[in-house]
Amino acid sequence: MNLFDVYPLFDIEPVKASGLTVWDKEGKKYLDLYGGHAVISIGHSHPHYLKRIARQLYDIGFYSNAVQMPLQQELAEKLGKLSGYEDYSLFLCNSGAEANENALKLASFHTGRKKVISFKSSFHGRTSAAVAATDDVSIIAPINETENIIFLPFNDVAAFAAALQEHGEQLAAVIVEGIQGVGGVNVPEPAFLKSLAAGCARVGALLILDEVQSGYGRSGKFFAHQHAGIQPDLITVAKGMGNGFPVGGVLISPKVEARHGMLGTTFGGNYLACAAALAVLEVMEHELLLENATIMGHYLKEKLEGMPGVKEVRGQGLMIGIELNEPCAAIRKELLSEHCIFTGSSSNKNTLRLLPALTISKAEADQFLKAFSNILSKKVLAS
Ligand code: PLP
């Protein structure tokens, strides 16, 4: 059987990885500054992470809800402590899209309403039809039709105020990314996030912060929205949470009451996912990775800002979007073929994306800066 061909792949076969380094089968070494779309948070094959998962596998070795509950509790407590959300509850699932699905359902169950405000250039996942095709009204929230979603311009306080005026009474939720990732690394203004929080509170809707890409220390704070000093009602997480192990979750405000059967999943919060997620938090705490993300993020941004051909550098911490004067595809290709450096792109063709592990060193940052600056300078000379 062949694989269903939906992913464009580079002609490189990685066989081993450690930290930010990846080796192909010929033993050639690459610098990974993308980490599978922000998934690699504590570095590839971190020894503590590998040991924690292996220990869990050998200690338990079988799938059972009874054994995973204490681990889920341990994870919820650790996540609450490190993120500053100790009074919230945690629902565990398997991916970012599933986390957002559950957050939207919760908002709909909690408010009894259908409408949702989202923003232009946002990305929240790829599920749609499963719930619509389910015949069990007790688990189906009314938000399953696209006509219930209102798209507004990002960072536009006035447009939000006008939409609230018109739809406030039917509004279940506002969903916004901590920093827009796929859409081109767009940072929400603190005043914009504050207006969303205040507006939601005023009309009784829930504010959902999608921190699937921007969370888990990537921005230099545990969650990107914490730069704006707001407290959303629901926060969704995945990607960096498991450093490659599939795990996601929703952090839920105490104002949302749980009832049995309201949400559910077969594999969410399984014992290996919990062990992986706990290992990530332990390493983040032990190695002070939020601090490193802040320091290295500032360093990279400062060096990139003056380079020829760089129009703008957006982002916070280690979620960086480099807006070029031209599409970034050729430059990314050269970075990979000539300098063995993996980077990312976005739906905005001119924006090159960097999402390195939060453990990145100054030497690794310098390796990229030197290569990138060489490529840009050659282009200036040629033009
Ligand atoms: N939300 C955001 C902000 C994302 O960037 C992504 C994936 O790129 C998702 C949700 C979907 O996550 P997943 O692919 O784990 O379903």
Side-chain angles (χ1 to χ4, degrees), residues 190-212:
F192 174 63
L193 286 186
K194 284 191 170 115
S195 81
L196 300 187
C200 283
R202 188 153 46 80
V203 301
L206 298 191
L207 177 60
I208 304 171
L209 248 296
D210 178 344
E211 295 275 3
V212 166

mmCIF file of all heavy atoms in Angstrom, residues 190-212:
data_model
loop_
_atom_site.group_PDB
_atom_site.id
_atom_site.type_symbol
_atom_site.label_atom_id
_atom_site.label_comp_id
_atom_site.label_asym_id
_atom_site.label_seq_id
_atom_site.Cartn_x
_atom_site.Cartn_y
_atom_site.Cartn_z
ATOM 1 N N PRO A 190 -1.895 43.989 22.570
ATOM 2 C CA PRO A 190 -2.496 43.800 23.901
ATOM 3 C C PRO A 190 -3.884 44.449 24.014
ATOM 4 O O PRO A 190 -4.804 43.871 24.591
ATOM 5 C CB PRO A 190 -1.486 44.458 24.849
ATOM 6 C CG PRO A 190 -0.178 44.368 24.117
ATOM 7 C CD PRO A 190 -0.507 44.473 22.659
ATOM 8 N N ALA A 191 -4.050 45.648 23.419
ATOM 9 C CA ALA A 191 -5.354 46.334 23.511
ATOM 10 C C ALA A 191 -6.444 45.534 22.806
ATOM 11 O O ALA A 191 -7.608 45.525 23.239
ATOM 12 C CB ALA A 191 -5.245 47.721 22.899
ATOM 13 N N PHE A 192 -6.070 44.844 21.736
ATOM 14 C CA PHE A 192 -7.033 44.016 20.992
ATOM 15 C C PHE A 192 -7.473 42.837 21.870
ATOM 16 O O PHE A 192 -8.671 42.590 22.043
ATOM 17 C CB PHE A 192 -6.363 43.535 19.697
ATOM 18 C CG PHE A 192 -7.169 42.569 18.884
ATOM 19 C CD1 PHE A 192 -8.383 42.940 18.327
ATOM 20 C CD2 PHE A 192 -6.701 41.270 18.660
ATOM 21 C CE1 PHE A 192 -9.129 42.046 17.562
ATOM 22 C CE2 PHE A 192 -7.431 40.378 17.903
ATOM 23 C CZ PHE A 192 -8.649 40.766 17.351
ATOM 24 N N LEU A 193 -6.493 42.124 22.458
ATOM 25 C CA LEU A 193 -6.851 40.978 23.307
ATOM 26 C C LEU A 193 -7.668 41.437 24.515
ATOM 27 O O LEU A 193 -8.615 40.759 24.925
ATOM 28 C CB LEU A 193 -5.595 40.233 23.769
ATOM 29 C CG LEU A 193 -4.893 39.383 22.716
ATOM 30 C CD1 LEU A 193 -3.756 38.590 23.344
ATOM 31 C CD2 LEU A 193 -5.854 38.417 22.022
ATOM 32 N N LYS A 194 -7.300 42.594 25.055
ATOM 33 C CA LYS A 194 -8.064 43.112 26.213
ATOM 34 C C LYS A 194 -9.502 43.405 25.805
ATOM 35 O O LYS A 194 -10.433 43.136 26.563
ATOM 36 C CB LYS A 194 -7.405 44.384 26.760
ATOM 37 C CG LYS A 194 -6.148 44.067 27.575
ATOM 38 C CD LYS A 194 -5.667 45.284 28.328
ATOM 39 C CE LYS A 194 -4.587 44.899 29.300
ATOM 40 N NZ LYS A 194 -3.280 45.458 29.045
ATOM 41 N N SER A 195 -9.690 43.940 24.586
ATOM 42 C CA SER A 195 -11.062 44.252 24.149
ATOM 43 C C SER A 195 -11.855 42.965 23.922
ATOM 44 O O SER A 195 -13.048 42.910 24.203
ATOM 45 C CB SER A 195 -11.059 45.137 22.898
ATOM 46 O OG SER A 195 -10.848 44.354 21.735
ATOM 47 N N LEU A 196 -11.173 41.892 23.460
ATOM 48 C CA LEU A 196 -11.878 40.610 23.289
ATOM 49 C C LEU A 196 -12.313 40.061 24.648
ATOM 50 O O LEU A 196 -13.449 39.587 24.809
ATOM 51 C CB LEU A 196 -10.973 39.576 22.606
ATOM 52 C CG LEU A 196 -10.430 39.895 21.210
ATOM 53 C CD1 LEU A 196 -9.696 38.677 20.637
ATOM 54 C CD2 LEU A 196 -11.529 40.340 20.259
ATOM 55 N N ALA A 197 -11.408 40.129 25.630
ATOM 56 C CA ALA A 197 -11.733 39.594 26.962
ATOM 57 C C ALA A 197 -12.890 40.381 27.582
ATOM 58 O O ALA A 197 -13.847 39.792 28.099
ATOM 59 C CB ALA A 197 -10.499 39.643 27.857
ATOM 60 N N ALA A 198 -12.799 41.708 27.496
ATOM 61 C CA ALA A 198 -13.843 42.541 28.111
ATOM 62 C C ALA A 198 -15.176 42.357 27.379
ATOM 63 O O ALA A 198 -16.237 42.239 28.009
ATOM 64 C CB ALA A 198 -13.417 44.000 28.084
ATOM 65 N N GLY A 199 -15.115 42.299 26.043
ATOM 66 C CA GLY A 199 -16.342 42.143 25.246
ATOM 67 C C GLY A 199 -17.026 40.817 25.541
ATOM 68 O O GLY A 199 -18.252 40.753 25.703
ATOM 69 N N CYS A 200 -16.243 39.744 25.617
ATOM 70 C CA CYS A 200 -16.816 38.422 25.910
ATOM 71 C C CYS A 200 -17.482 38.436 27.286
ATOM 72 O O CYS A 200 -18.597 37.939 27.447
ATOM 73 C CB CYS A 200 -15.740 37.335 25.875
ATOM 74 S SG CYS A 200 -15.280 36.882 24.207
ATOM 75 N N ALA A 201 -16.784 39.016 28.262
ATOM 76 C CA ALA A 201 -17.339 39.052 29.623
ATOM 77 C C ALA A 201 -18.662 39.832 29.615
ATOM 78 O O ALA A 201 -19.640 39.427 30.258
ATOM 79 C CB ALA A 201 -16.340 39.695 30.575
ATOM 80 N N ARG A 202 -18.703 40.921 28.863
ATOM 81 C CA ARG A 202 -19.901 41.768 28.844
ATOM 82 C C ARG A 202 -21.112 41.039 28.263
ATOM 83 O O ARG A 202 -22.213 41.136 28.806
ATOM 84 C CB ARG A 202 -19.598 43.052 28.039
ATOM 85 C CG ARG A 202 -20.686 44.110 28.099
ATOM 86 C CD ARG A 202 -20.119 45.507 27.897
ATOM 87 N NE ARG A 202 -19.188 45.586 26.784
ATOM 88 C CZ ARG A 202 -19.549 45.681 25.511
ATOM 89 N NH1 ARG A 202 -20.802 45.733 25.181
ATOM 90 N NH2 ARG A 202 -18.631 45.752 24.558
ATOM 91 N N VAL A 203 -20.922 40.269 27.176
ATOM 92 C CA VAL A 203 -22.091 39.630 26.541
ATOM 93 C C VAL A 203 -22.285 38.182 27.006
ATOM 94 O O VAL A 203 -23.183 37.491 26.534
ATOM 95 C CB VAL A 203 -22.007 39.671 24.994
ATOM 96 C CG1 VAL A 203 -21.915 41.109 24.491
ATOM 97 C CG2 VAL A 203 -20.852 38.834 24.461
ATOM 98 N N GLY A 204 -21.406 37.704 27.899
ATOM 99 C CA GLY A 204 -21.568 36.328 28.416
ATOM 100 C C GLY A 204 -21.063 35.262 27.459
ATOM 101 O O GLY A 204 -21.473 34.104 27.553
ATOM 102 N N ALA A 205 -20.176 35.635 26.524
ATOM 103 C CA ALA A 205 -19.558 34.631 25.630
ATOM 104 C C ALA A 205 -18.230 34.184 26.246
ATOM 105 O O ALA A 205 -17.714 34.842 27.155
ATOM 106 C CB ALA A 205 -19.316 35.249 24.256
ATOM 107 N N LEU A 206 -17.667 33.069 25.760
ATOM 108 C CA LEU A 206 -16.382 32.607 26.288
ATOM 109 C C LEU A 206 -15.256 32.970 25.327
ATOM 110 O O LEU A 206 -15.407 32.856 24.110
ATOM 111 C CB LEU A 206 -16.398 31.090 26.510
ATOM 112 C CG LEU A 206 -17.418 30.550 27.521
ATOM 113 C CD1 LEU A 206 -17.129 29.071 27.820
ATOM 114 C CD2 LEU A 206 -17.428 31.335 28.826
ATOM 115 N N LEU A 207 -14.145 33.400 25.897
ATOM 116 C CA LEU A 207 -12.968 33.706 25.077
ATOM 117 C C LEU A 207 -12.075 32.462 25.029
ATOM 118 O O LEU A 207 -11.632 31.959 26.073
ATOM 119 C CB LEU A 207 -12.197 34.896 25.661
ATOM 120 C CG LEU A 207 -10.908 35.260 24.917
ATOM 121 C CD1 LEU A 207 -11.189 35.631 23.454
ATOM 122 C CD2 LEU A 207 -10.188 36.420 25.605
ATOM 123 N N ILE A 208 -11.828 31.970 23.809
ATOM 124 C CA ILE A 208 -10.954 30.800 23.612
ATOM 125 C C ILE A 208 -9.619 31.281 23.053
ATOM 126 O O ILE A 208 -9.568 31.890 21.981
ATOM 127 C CB ILE A 208 -11.573 29.799 22.605
ATOM 128 C CG1 ILE A 208 -12.969 29.370 23.055
ATOM 129 C CG2 ILE A 208 -10.654 28.590 22.413
ATOM 130 C CD1 ILE A 208 -13.726 28.548 22.017
ATOM 131 N N LEU A 209 -8.549 31.011 23.761
ATOM 132 C CA LEU A 209 -7.214 31.325 23.253
ATOM 133 C C LEU A 209 -6.595 30.055 22.703
ATOM 134 O O LEU A 209 -6.335 29.111 23.454
ATOM 135 C CB LEU A 209 -6.369 31.916 24.386
ATOM 136 C CG LEU A 209 -6.010 33.387 24.233
ATOM 137 C CD1 LEU A 209 -5.130 33.669 23.038
ATOM 138 C CD2 LEU A 209 -7.253 34.260 24.158
ATOM 139 N N ASP A 210 -6.394 30.030 21.394
ATOM 140 C CA ASP A 210 -5.734 28.885 20.759
ATOM 141 C C ASP A 210 -4.230 29.080 20.912
ATOM 142 O O ASP A 210 -3.616 29.889 20.220
ATOM 143 C CB ASP A 210 -6.156 28.832 19.280
ATOM 144 C CG ASP A 210 -5.479 27.691 18.529
ATOM 145 O OD1 ASP A 210 -4.485 27.145 19.039
ATOM 146 O OD2 ASP A 210 -5.936 27.366 17.416
ATOM 147 N N GLU A 211 -3.658 28.340 21.867
ATOM 148 C CA GLU A 211 -2.209 28.427 22.129
ATOM 149 C C GLU A 211 -1.527 27.151 21.639
ATOM 150 O O GLU A 211 -0.458 26.785 22.125
ATOM 151 C CB GLU A 211 -1.959 28.636 23.629
ATOM 152 C CG GLU A 211 -2.468 29.962 24.181
ATOM 153 C CD GLU A 211 -1.488 31.125 24.021
ATOM 154 O OE1 GLU A 211 -0.411 30.925 23.427
ATOM 155 O OE2 GLU A 211 -1.800 32.229 24.507
ATOM 156 N N VAL A 212 -2.137 26.506 20.652
ATOM 157 C CA VAL A 212 -1.601 25.243 20.134
ATOM 158 C C VAL A 212 -0.174 25.432 19.618
ATOM 159 O O VAL A 212 0.700 24.607 19.869
ATOM 160 C CB VAL A 212 -2.542 24.685 19.032
ATOM 161 C CG1 VAL A 212 -1.880 23.584 18.224
ATOM 162 C CG2 VAL A 212 -3.837 24.192 19.658
#
